[in-house]
Amino acid sequence: VGRERPNSSNARSFPSGHASATFATAAVLHGHFDWKVGVPAYAVAGFVGWTRARDNVHWLSDVAMGAAIGIAAGHTVTRGHRERVWRIVPMKTRGGAAVYVVR
Protein backbone atom coordinates (compact mmCIF):
# COMPACT_ATOMS: atom_id res chain seq x y z
CA VAL A 1 0.00 0.00 0.00
CA GLY A 2 2.95 2.30 0.52
CA ARG A 3 2.28 3.41 4.10
CA GLU A 4 5.32 4.11 6.26
CA ARG A 5 6.00 2.06 9.34
CA PRO A 6 5.60 3.68 12.77
CA ASN A 7 9.37 3.53 13.32
CA SER A 8 9.96 5.49 10.04
CA SER A 9 12.03 2.73 8.41
CA ASN A 10 12.07 2.53 4.62
CA ALA A 11 10.12 -0.73 4.55
CA ARG A 12 6.43 -0.72 3.71
CA SER A 13 4.00 -1.23 6.55
CA PHE A 14 0.63 -2.43 5.25
CA PRO A 15 -0.24 -5.33 5.66
CA SER A 16 2.00 -7.18 8.09
CA GLY A 17 3.67 -10.11 6.36
CA HIS A 18 4.54 -11.75 9.67
CA ALA A 19 0.90 -11.66 10.75
CA SER A 20 -0.26 -12.97 7.36
CA ALA A 21 2.17 -15.89 7.44
CA THR A 22 1.55 -16.92 11.04
CA PHE A 23 -2.25 -16.64 10.81
CA ALA A 24 -2.25 -18.55 7.49
CA THR A 25 -0.24 -21.31 9.16
CA ALA A 26 -2.61 -21.35 12.13
CA ALA A 27 -5.65 -21.55 9.83
CA VAL A 28 -4.15 -24.46 7.88
CA LEU A 29 -3.28 -26.32 11.09
CA HIS A 30 -6.78 -25.67 12.40
CA GLY A 31 -8.27 -26.93 9.13
CA HIS A 32 -6.29 -30.16 9.23
CA PHE A 33 -6.15 -30.92 12.95
CA ASP A 34 -9.19 -29.11 14.41
CA TRP A 35 -9.11 -26.97 17.57
CA LYS A 36 -6.65 -29.14 19.50
CA VAL A 37 -3.87 -27.78 17.31
CA GLY A 38 -5.69 -24.68 16.05
CA VAL A 39 -6.03 -22.90 19.39
CA PRO A 40 -2.30 -23.02 20.24
CA ALA A 41 -1.43 -22.06 16.65
CA TYR A 42 -3.75 -19.04 16.76
CA ALA A 43 -2.29 -18.11 20.15
CA VAL A 44 1.23 -18.09 18.67
CA ALA A 45 0.00 -16.09 15.66
CA GLY A 46 -1.68 -13.59 17.97
CA PHE A 47 1.53 -13.26 19.96
CA VAL A 48 3.53 -12.61 16.79
CA GLY A 49 1.03 -9.96 15.69
CA TRP A 50 1.07 -8.33 19.11
CA THR A 51 4.88 -8.16 19.15
CA ARG A 52 4.90 -6.49 15.72
CA ALA A 53 2.70 -3.69 17.08
CA ARG A 54 4.43 -3.61 20.49
CA ASP A 55 7.87 -3.24 18.91
CA ASN A 56 6.60 -0.28 16.86
CA VAL A 57 7.27 -2.08 13.57
CA HIS A 58 3.63 -2.12 12.41
CA TRP A 59 0.44 -0.21 13.09
CA LEU A 60 -2.35 -2.23 14.67
CA SER A 61 -4.34 -1.99 11.43
CA ASP A 62 -1.39 -3.55 9.55
CA VAL A 63 -1.47 -6.53 11.90
CA ALA A 64 -5.27 -6.85 11.73
CA MET A 65 -5.30 -6.83 7.92
CA GLY A 66 -2.38 -9.25 7.79
CA ALA A 67 -4.25 -11.60 10.12
CA ALA A 68 -7.41 -11.36 8.01
CA ILE A 69 -5.50 -12.11 4.80
CA GLY A 70 -3.71 -15.03 6.44
CA ILE A 71 -6.89 -16.56 7.86
CA ALA A 72 -8.68 -16.23 4.53
CA ALA A 73 -5.76 -17.83 2.69
CA GLY A 74 -5.44 -20.67 5.21
CA HIS A 75 -9.15 -21.50 5.12
CA THR A 76 -9.09 -21.39 1.31
CA VAL A 77 -6.24 -23.89 1.23
CA THR A 78 -7.96 -26.38 3.53
CA ARG A 79 -11.54 -25.88 2.36
CA GLY A 80 -11.69 -29.06 0.26
CA HIS A 81 -9.78 -31.13 2.80
CA ARG A 82 -12.38 -31.13 5.53
CA GLU A 83 -14.59 -34.09 6.22
CA ARG A 84 -18.01 -33.83 4.68
CA VAL A 85 -21.00 -33.71 7.02
CA TRP A 86 -23.41 -35.39 4.61
CA ARG A 87 -22.73 -38.69 2.79
CA ILE A 88 -24.58 -40.35 -0.04
CA VAL A 89 -24.19 -44.12 0.16
CA PRO A 90 -25.50 -46.47 -2.53
CA MET A 91 -26.39 -49.92 -1.10
CA LYS A 92 -27.36 -53.24 -2.57
CA THR A 93 -30.52 -54.58 -0.99
CA ARG A 94 -32.44 -57.80 -1.32
CA GLY A 95 -34.19 -57.52 -4.66
CA GLY A 96 -32.72 -54.16 -5.70
CA ALA A 97 -30.71 -51.17 -4.55
CA ALA A 98 -31.11 -48.15 -2.34
CA VAL A 99 -29.43 -44.83 -1.86
CA TYR A 100 -29.00 -43.63 1.70
CA VAL A 101 -28.31 -40.06 2.66
CA VAL A 102 -26.41 -40.14 5.93
CA ARG A 103 -25.56 -37.28 8.21
Side-chain angles (χ1 to χ4, degrees), residues 16 21 29 32-33 36 45 64-65 68 77 85 88 96:
S16 169
L29 290 171
H32 283 297
F33 301 108
K36 292 177 186 173
M65 184 54 81
V77 167
V85 176
I88 299 173

Side-chain angles (χ1 to χ4, degrees), residues 51-62:
T51 60
R52 302 303 285 169
R54 178 200 67 191
D55 294 345
N56 208 30
V57 180
H58 280 288
W59 303 101
L60 187 57
S61 59
D62 302 339

Side-chain angles (χ1 to χ4, degrees), residues 8-49:
S8 300
S9 69
N10 289 334
R12 299 295 181 214
S13 180
F14 187 83
S16 169
H18 284 87
S20 294
T22 54
F23 275 93
T25 301
V28 168
L29 290 171
H30 171 228
H32 283 297
F33 301 108
D34 207 24
W35 285 104
K36 292 177 186 173
V37 176
V39 168
Y42 281 118
V44 169
F47 177 75
V48 169

